Amino acid sequence: MPVLVITGTGTEVGKTVTTAAVAAAALAAGRSVAVLKAAQTGVGPGERGDADEVARLAGPVTAAELARYPEPLAPWTAARRAGLAPVRPYEVADAAAKLATEHDLVLVEGAGGLLVRFDAAGGTLADVARLLAAPVLLVASAGLGTLNTTELTARELRLRAIELLGVVIGSWPRSADLAARCNLADLPEVAGAPLLGALPAGAGALPPPEFRRAAPTWLSPRLEGTWNAMSFQTREAPPAGPPR
């Protein structure tokens, strides 16, 4: 698995922190890691983007970014409004393939969900995964409504013959409600793929050394971690740290 594409069921589901956790676990296992942000929106020149945040949390990764647009919009909309060139799927795939010749693992992080458009032709992260023949890791929210968006994304991947490696819950609440607890069993059912981890709420606020030590405990062995889905269902995830 030299390249792994990471997408979310939508925005604000914990995609960047999950990418950092996957990177940290791979680094802890002795692998060299690159993180490629296909299109960064809502960040101005000189500001830290998602790839920089992954590097801050995870440690010594190669952080790369193909395009940056100032407004917090879908990449194609943001590019059009800024009068800047869009990023195209083949450009993302070419950059990831080059990084894969120099690293054990390349994590390609999308913007928003799977079908958010990169360009006027309707290119998406799904096209990137197809060009790379790379599996996709889906980051989902924990609570009510997540089953629908997870199943829709999984169905789209199957229609395109793209492998869904599994699902990670991007932010597991400190006190899980009934919906979240039921979703632990239901998410892999609707996705047709295993649940591969759950990050505790607030994980991204941990000091980087603590984040790196804890990251493998949030992810399954498939992602170089020690997390066990069956045992997790019998208890609530511990808090990531004191409330901030």
Side-chain angles (χ1 to χ4, degrees), residues 104-201:
D104 299 323
L105 176 65
V106 179
L107 304 175
V108 181
E109 183 185 343
L114 180 70
L115 298 185
V116 170
R117 294 191 172 201
F118 287 148
D119 58 21
T124 68
L125 192 67
D127 296 309
V128 174
R130 180 182 54 80
L131 288 168
L132 289 165
V136 170
L137 182 66
L138 179 60
V139 182
S141 57
L144 200 63
T146 194
L147 298 180
N148 180 61
T149 51
T150 297
E151 184 164 3
L152 287 171
T153 304
R155 285 187 182 187
E156 185 64 28
L157 288 169
R158 284 196 295 273
L159 285 172
R160 295 170 180 253
I162 298 170
E163 178 189 356
L164 175 56
L165 185 71
V167 179
V168 170
I169 296 173
S171 180
W172 182 256
R174 297 176 189 277
S175 180
D177 62 12
L178 178 61
R181 294 195 301 271
C182 290
N183 286 341
L184 289 172
D186 292 341
L187 277 168
E189 179 71 21
V190 302
L195 190 60
L196 295 181
L199 276 64

Side-chain angles (χ1 to χ4, degrees), residues 1 9 16 25 50-51 53 61 64 70 83 86 91 102 105 110 149 190 217-218 227 229:
M1 189 178 60
T9 53
T16 297
D50 291 343
E53 178 65 4
V61 303
E91 295 171 331
E102 304 160 348
L105 176 65
T149 51
V190 302
T217 70
W218 305 329
W227 184 86

Side-chain angles (χ1 to χ4, degrees), residues 196-224:
L196 295 181
L199 276 64
L206 288 173
E210 291 184 33
F211 183 93
R212 295 165 196 171
R213 284 194 297 270
T217 70
W218 305 329
L219 301 170
S220 82
R222 187 70 179 86
L223 295 172
E224 309 284 4

